[in-house]
Amino acid sequence: MRPTHLCLAVLVAAVWGVNFTVIEIGLDHFPPLLFSALRFLAAALPAVFFVGKPKVAWKWILGVGLALGVAKFGLLFVGMDAGMPAGLSSLVLQIQAVFTALIAFAVLGERPTRLRLLGMAVALCGVGLAAVDEGTGGPLGAFALVIAAAVCWGVSNVLTRKASPPDSLNFMVWVSTVPVLPLLLLSLLTEGPSADLAALRALDWQGAGVILYVAWVTTVFGFGVWGWLLRRHPASTVAPFSLLVPVFGMSSAALFLGEPVSALRWCAAALLVGGVALTSLAPAPMKASTASVRPTKASTASVRQATDHAPLSDAP
C-alpha cells in the first residue's frame, strides 16, 4: 500500500472513531431517534442525485436500511443517550465481527475455523471485562442496548455480503434513504412532537455541524474513501485499519469529553480488538456443503475477486 493510501486508511479510521464523540455532542442537541433520522436524511440528500441508480436489488437496500439504519443506529443512539460512554461504545460495537460470523454460520452455512472461534472467545472475554467495568459506574441497560446494536450490525453485514454491491458508496447512499421515515415515525411516537420541534427550533451552528459531520464526513467521505481503497487493494490489506476505530474513539472521548479510561477498560480493549482481529482476519471459512469440493481455476479466481472487492460495513 502506498504511503498516501495508508494515510487515507488511517484517516478514515480516525473519522469513524471521532464520530462517537461527535454523536455524544449531538445528543445534547437532539433526541436520539430524531438525530439518527437527520443523519440519514443529510447523508442521502443531495448525494442520492449524484451516485446514479441502485446497483443491487431493492430488497437488499431495504433489508440493510432497516437492519443498519433503523435497528443498529437507533439502538446505538438510544443507548448512548441513556448513558453509554462514547469511547466505550466505539469499543463494544466491534463485537459485531463475532455476531457477523455467528449469523453467517447460521444463515450462510459458513463454518468458522478454529482460529476464528478462538478470536470470538477472546473478543467475548473483552466484552465481559467491559461489562464489569461499566457495571461499576454506568447503566448496564444502556450497555445492553449497544450490544443489541452490534447484533443488528451483524445482520446488516450478512445482508450486505449477500447483496455484494459493486459500489459501496452508491449502496450506502441508497441505504441511507430507507431509515429516514421509520426513524422519524418512531421519534414522533416515543420522543414526542414537542421534543422534536423544540430541538429543530433550537438548531444552532454546532448542531448543524454535528449533523453534517456524521452524515457527510463519516458516511459519504468515509465510505467513499473506504470503497476507493477496496477497489485498489485486497480486503485483507484494508480491513485491519478498521481496528483503529476504537483507539481513536476512546482517545477522542477522553480528550474532548473527559471520559476516564480505567486500566480494566484498557485490558478489555486489548482483548476485544485482539479477538476481533483474529475473527476478522482469519482465513475465510468455506460453506459446509462445499468444503470437500476441490476449487477450479475459475472458481478460485472468482473467490479472489470477491474477496478483493468485498464491501465492509465498519462506519459507526
Side-chain angles (χ1 to χ4, degrees):
M1 182 179 285
R2 297 177 181 177
T4 53
H5 295 186
L6 188 148
C7 291
L8 282 174
V10 174
L11 176 61
V12 172
V15 163
W16 286 344
V18 173
N19 186 57
F20 288 89
T21 296
V22 177
I23 290 172
E24 188 72 36
I25 295 172
L27 289 171
D28 292 333
H29 294 264
F30 310 100
L33 294 177
L34 175 65
F35 183 21
S36 189
L38 293 174
R39 174 242 175 99
F40 284 107
L41 178 63
L45 297 177
V48 73
F49 298 110
F50 298 97
V51 297
K53 296 180 179 180
K55 298 180 181 180
V56 300
W58 268 102
K59 64 179 181 180
W60 301 121
I61 293 174
L62 291 172
V64 175
L66 293 174
L68 182 70
V70 179
K72 183 256 183 174
F73 279 103
L75 290 167
L76 172 64
F77 280 37
V78 171
M80 291 181 65
D81 187 63
M84 184 68 169
L88 187 60
S89 297
S90 71
L91 174 65
V92 171
L93 267 184
Q94 298 305 311
I95 199 66
Q96 57 85 18
V98 173
F99 292 123
T100 299
L102 293 174
I103 296 168
F105 169 68
V107 176
L108 305 179
E110 295 181 354
R111 294 187 302 185
T113 62
R114 292 182 178 179
L115 184 60
R116 187 160 290 189
L117 288 172
L118 174 62
M120 293 181 194
V122 172
L124 288 173
C125 289
V127 169
L129 275 183
V132 171
D133 182 61
E134 178 65 7
T136 62
L140 285 178
F143 187 94
L145 286 174
V146 176
I147 293 290
V151 175
C152 296
W153 197 356
V155 172
S156 73
N157 285 341
V158 173
L159 291 174
T160 301
R161 186 180 302 175
K162 291 286 288 182
S164 298
D167 185 337
S168 59
L169 178 60
N170 173 281
F171 182 67
M172 192 60 195
V173 169
W174 281 103
V175 162
S176 297
T177 66
V178 176
V180 177
L181 290 179
L183 285 169
L184 283 176
L185 179 60
L186 287 172
S187 178
L188 289 172
L189 291 175
T190 61
E191 295 164 348
S194 58
D196 289 350
L197 288 174
L200 293 174
R201 288 171 178 167
L203 181 65
D204 55 14
W205 286 107
Q206 187 181 58
V210 163
I211 293 175
L212 292 179
Y213 183 93
V214 298
W216 290 2
V217 179
T218 300
T219 304
V220 178
F221 170 79
F223 268 94
V225 172
W226 197 256
W228 185 84
L229 290 170
L230 283 171
R231 288 193 293 272
R232 285 156 178 80
H233 302 281
S236 58
T237 301
V238 180
F241 288 94
S242 67
L243 298 176
L244 295 174
V245 171
V247 176
F248 286 110
M250 295 176 67
S251 301
S252 63
L255 180 63
F256 296 110
L257 302 178
E259 288 186 4
V261 184
S262 65
L264 189 61
R265 188 168 298 182
W266 280 120
C267 291
L271 286 172
L272 206 156
V273 172
V276 168
L278 288 174
T279 302
S280 303
L281 305 180
M286 297 181 67
K287 291 187 178 181
S289 59
T290 60
S292 62
V293 179
R294 183 177 180 179
T296 64
K297 291 182 179 180
S299 64
T300 302
S302 64
V303 169
R304 185 182 296 113
Q305 182 181 10
T307 302
D308 290 351
H309 299 281
L312 300 177
S313 180
D314 293 303

